[in-house]
Amino acid sequence: MNSEQGRFRRLIVRAAGFLTLLFTVHCSLFTSLLPAQQPDTVTKPLLPGQDTTRAVTDTAAARADTTGALFDTTGHRPVTAADSARLDSLRARRDSSPAQRYLALEKLREIKVLVAPPLDAPGPGPPLSRLVFTRDSMDWAHASTLSDLLQRVPGVFLWRGGWLGQPEYPNFEGRGATSVEYWLDGLPYLAAGTDSVGVDPSIFALSILDRVEIERWPGLLRVRMYTRNLDRLAPRSRIAVSRGQSSFARYQGSLERKTRSGLGFMIAGDNLSVPTIQGFRQRYDNTSFLVQGSYVPSPKWGVLLQGLRSRPDRDPTLDAAGDTLTRGIFGGRRMDWQLRGMWRADSSGFGPRADVVFGRTTASDSLMPSQTINSAGVIVSLRRPTYSAGASAFHRSRWTSTDLRLNGGWSPVGGAALSGEAGYERHDGGRTSSWVGLRAGTRLLLGLEASASLRAGKIVAAPSVLTDTAQTVRDWQLSVAWRRPWAELEGGLAHTAAFAPQPFQPYAGVPVLTPSAGTDWLTARARLTPVPWLSLEGWVSDPRKATPDGLPPRHFLGSGTIRTKFLRIFPSGTLDVELRIAVEHWSPGVSGRDAFGDPVVLPAATYFRSLVQVALGSFQFFWDRSNLTETLNGYVPGLPIAGRPSEFGVRWTFAN
């Protein structure tokens, strides 16, 4: 009991210190931003040829739905000119009243500033090729980790090691630990450290991300993550604090600032602490920090430097007999740096562009010496309203020395698009990978959409494993969808070639995944919104011919959501309430093979999960509860979820 009380006190002291530091920085920055009181002003319209640097432009990407459709509005506001009346002889004094502070902040929030454009700006793409989550949709998506977002894709089965803090590797269409690629701000997030084969997405802090795009290829998911990128003169801050079962704690905070001169900085932190529950889960602690500095004085050029640091520390999990079920990460450390110089020929967003990028990744833990991967490369592209083309060349100091890629897109008529990519990689040991990927799609009448994709070539799935050789892939997928505001239906048929997947390194109890034969995949997804405040949605995946190791033969995920603003009672729209319950079910399957080659049976299971979330403006309260029926069969045999774990807390985003 004393140890639990001591841990609780340390967590409280840590949270108080972090919030005090962040509040101090807030106050100092806000005070420096407040202008001295100005004479009375009158509104005067902007004249042709007048300097536009004083014009206030408001461009708001209002929202992005999960199909990736963006809605953008642009407006120009008048500028203020000094009154010609005689000024008072007294000097202007700073007014620190709350009303004046609020008005000053509102003016700063309307002023747009230059920001670094995305390193991998997409060109025209066909429909049904990606899912998009913005910052707002992530807050309301019932997602505690990046893995929860990946679970929205039909065919994804998560290897959850239990509740939060344990590994959460996705297995997409039986391709194992390498079935998902991760890209952070345009650069690949390479597997390194304790697990140099796959990347555990649970280590990413959603709080530092501003946007997530999930590209769907047959047999492969490509996850593009973009960090927070403030485009307003007013600073932006975000604080989140949550607690949960058995002294579970999470603390998040971020501060962003941009200036008229083009200078900007951002710092974000996330601390997750999960204590031990005897017989169910082991201790886990991870502190992530993202720091970024940028200088973008012109729409045509700029520089950016950022670093992402994480320190996952996880104890191993043992079964009743003392056998290891999951390997631990003792004192894990990882640091990823990115230095980027950018050039654009045209400030409109179109035309040629070039970027020179340097990267450095270092990873280690208490049982493994440090690994260092240095990289350098150049990316060039041309963007036009109806087409795009790009190329990149990178050299890396470890595992993959050469990485060459081409990509392009073309939209000859509205609603139809073609896109493609080609790649070549040279790996250690004289191994090579080469592939092409093609997509085509169109929007038809009556809300119908259709798309097709193909990926073929020879792939080295795990370059860090010197015995892993290139495998031939010939995968294809056909999809058709029907969309209406009140309903949506999508069906897909995919084929993946025979493949030898890499096992998930942290799971010592399932060290082998049997090579799979060619498999056909039937998927279906549906959404029904009979009234604006009620939504029912779900997907089902069913592999045919043969079911690969590592996922169940039939898998279903569904949810029902009530979300309302009670506009008849609160016309301002300040209040927002969400009630959601989700259910996941799968039939019995085989997780893989043990050390003796015997199958590890995955029993059938059904999980329920609920969410209550209330927002008052930018202040949000949430309560997320898992495993409502206390199901004992886990996602990974031997690793159940303990009881009905919950997380409750608040998020607050504000400008000061």
Side-chain angles (χ1 to χ4, degrees):
M1 180 64 67
N2 293 334
S3 62
E4 291 293 331
Q5 293 177 350
R7 182 182 295 108
F8 179 76
R9 293 193 191 97
R10 289 194 296 272
L11 290 174
I12 294 298
V13 171
R14 184 188 304 173
F18 178 75
L19 296 179
T20 302
L21 174 61
L22 189 59
F23 179 77
T24 303
V25 177
H26 290 168
C27 295
S28 61
L29 282 174
F30 177 65
T31 303
S32 66
L33 285 171
L34 286 177
Q37 183 175 346
Q38 299 295 329
D40 293 338
T41 60
V42 296
T43 302
K44 182 178 180 180
L46 188 64
L47 300 177
Q50 186 173 345
D51 185 6
T52 59
T53 58
R54 300 181 60 215
V56 178
T57 304
D58 184 12
T59 304
R63 66 183 179 88
D65 63 6
T66 57
T67 63
L70 294 178
F71 305 87
D72 188 74
T73 57
T74 304
H76 295 276
R77 299 180 181 270
V79 297
T80 56
D83 196 334
S84 58
R86 182 178 178 183
L87 300 179
D88 194 291
S89 59
L90 295 177
R91 294 184 60 187
R93 295 179 300 172
R94 187 187 302 272
D95 192 334
S96 59
S97 67
Q100 291 295 327
R101 286 177 175 268
Y102 174 78
L103 293 176
L105 272 177
E106 287 301 304
K107 291 181 180 180
L108 294 177
R109 293 178 68 171
E110 295 176 345
I111 302 176
K112 277 185 68 70
V113 294
L114 296 173
V115 297
L119 183 61
D120 53 350
L128 306 177
S129 60
R130 62 175 182 162
L131 299 178
V132 176
F133 297 91
T134 62
R135 178 68 261 164
D136 180 71
S137 62
M138 280 188 279
D139 284 341
W140 294 89
H142 201 180
S144 298
T145 64
L146 180 61
S147 304
D148 291 329
L149 298 183
L150 297 179
Q151 204 174 23
R152 299 295 182 93
V153 180
V156 170
F157 180 76
L158 293 181
W159 280 49
R160 294 186 190 269
W163 194 47
L164 298 178
Q166 296 303 308
E168 294 183 349
Y169 284 78
N171 188 1
F172 179 61
E173 294 185 347
R175 290 294 169 85
T178 60
S179 60
V180 182
E181 294 180 356
Y182 300 91
W183 295 64
L184 181 65
D185 286 331
L187 288 184
Y189 190 89
L190 303 175
T194 302
D195 183 5
S196 56
V197 175
V199 174
D200 179 6
S202 67
I203 67 173
F204 296 111
L206 284 181
S207 62
I208 69 175
L209 301 179
D210 195 57
R211 185 180 177 88
V212 175
E213 299 183 5
I214 305 175
E215 294 183 14
R216 296 190 290 180
W217 290 93
L220 175 70
L221 293 182
R222 184 173 294 142
V223 182
R224 298 187 182 275
M225 300 172 288
Y226 302 92
T227 55
R228 305 179 71 88
N229 196 8
L230 178 66
D231 65 347
R232 304 290 163 157
L233 190 57
R236 180 172 63 183
S237 305
R238 186 175 190 269
I239 290 176
V241 178
S242 62
R243 300 285 295 178
Q245 181 189 32
S246 302
S247 300
F248 164 89
R250 191 201 302 262
Y251 306 103
Q252 300 171 343
S254 65
L255 177 62
E256 303 167 78
R257 174 75 170 95
K258 296 291 173 61
T259 67
R260 297 178 188 269
S261 65
L263 286 172
F265 83 91
M266 186 264 288
I267 180 171
D270 185 293
N271 175 259
L272 175 63
S273 179
V274 184
T276 300
I277 293 184
Q278 191 65 33
F280 284 96
R281 70 163 183 253
Q282 299 301 310
R283 178 195 61 86
Y284 175 76
D285 187 86
N286 185 18
T287 301
S288 300
F289 276 103
L290 177 69
V291 293
Q292 183 187 96
S294 61
Y295 180 55
V296 188
S298 164
K300 296 186 176 182
W301 69 275
V303 293
L304 180 145
L305 174 65
Q306 76 174 28
L308 174 62
R309 170 185 176 271
S310 59
R311 296 191 62 177
D313 188 0
R314 179 188 295 128
D315 291 342
T317 301
L318 306 177
D319 64 9
D323 295 331
T324 301
L325 292 177
T326 62
R327 298 183 176 93
I329 307 175
F330 299 100
R333 293 177 175 83
R334 174 162 177 156
M335 187 73 197
D336 291 87
W337 288 102
Q338 178 186 141
L339 175 61
R340 172 186 169 199
M342 63 201 80
W343 171 82
R344 306 291 182 268
D346 192 340
S347 60
S348 67
F350 297 108
R353 49 183 283 180
D355 295 86
V356 178
V357 187
F358 300 91
R360 180 181 177 87
T361 297
T362 57
S364 66
D365 60 42
S366 59
L367 302 179
M368 183 196 68
S370 175
Q371 295 177 350
T372 301
I373 306 174
N374 296 315
S375 63
V378 60
I379 301 175
V380 296
S381 63
L382 175 64
R383 183 71 166 89
R384 295 299 184 192
T386 59
Y387 69 90
S388 66
S392 65
F394 275 84
H395 170 76
R396 298 190 183 94
S397 62
R398 195 182 185 101
W399 295 326
T400 301
S401 58
T402 303
D403 187 340
L404 307 176
R405 298 177 188 246
L406 300 173
N407 63 81
W410 179 44
S411 180
V413 294
L418 303 171
S419 66
E421 65 176 33
Y424 172 83
E425 294 178 331
R426 179 176 293 277
H427 312 288
D428 292 351
R431 300 166 296 162
T432 61
S433 297
S434 58
W435 73 93
V436 295
L438 299 174
R439 282 199 186 107
T442 183
R443 290 184 173 91
L444 305 171
L445 298 176
L446 304 177
L448 291 174
E449 299 177 355
S451 71
S453 57
L454 169 70
R455 191 166 182 265
K458 291 183 177 295
I459 306 294
V460 176
S464 62
V465 181
L466 297 181
T467 57
D468 186 33
T469 58
Q471 303 184 61
T472 300
V473 295
R474 290 187 178 90
D475 307 329
W476 54 264
Q477 181 171 340
L478 302 174
S479 301
V480 62
W482 175 70
R483 302 182 191 277
R484 279 291 185 263
W486 55 273
E488 181 178 332
L489 297 174
E490 179 183 331
L493 171 63
H495 175 80
T496 55
F499 196 81
Q502 289 289 331
F504 300 95
Q505 297 298 313
Y507 296 104
V510 191
V512 177
L513 296 180
T514 303
S516 63
T519 307
D520 294 332
W521 302 83
L522 292 176
T523 58
R525 187 171 66 88
R527 174 187 59 83
L528 178 63
T529 309
V531 290
W533 49 267
L534 174 63
S535 178
L536 305 172
E537 58 183 336
W539 62 256
V540 62
S541 174
D542 187 8
R544 314 297 292 181
K545 293 184 180 179
T547 301
D549 284 0
L551 44 74
R554 280 172 296 279
H555 188 196
F556 166 79
L557 181 69
S559 66
T561 304
I562 295 175
R563 184 173 177 183
T564 177
K565 292 179 176 289
F566 293 102
L567 292 178
R568 294 184 179 181
I569 303 175
F570 305 97
S572 65
T574 301
L575 179 66
D576 201 346
V577 178
E578 179 183 30
L579 305 175
R580 186 176 189 269
I581 186 166
V583 57
E584 182 179 10
H585 172 78
W586 63 81
S587 56
V590 176
S591 292
R593 313 289 161 163
D594 61 18
F596 301 100
D598 297 326
V600 179
V601 177
L602 174 65
T606 302
Y607 281 94
F608 287 88
R609 182 178 178 184
S610 65
L611 173 69
V612 176
Q613 186 157 296
V614 179
L616 292 172
S618 62
F619 182 88
Q620 297 178 353
F621 165 80
F622 66 94
W623 180 28
D624 183 4
R625 193 161 195 179
S626 303
N627 196 17
L628 298 180
T629 57
E630 297 190 73
T631 300
L632 294 179
N633 292 338
Y635 291 78
V636 180
L639 297 172
I641 296 178
R644 295 190 294 270
S646 63
E647 178 183 4
F648 57 91
V650 297
R651 309 184 189 100
W652 189 18
T653 302
F654 48 95
N656 70 24

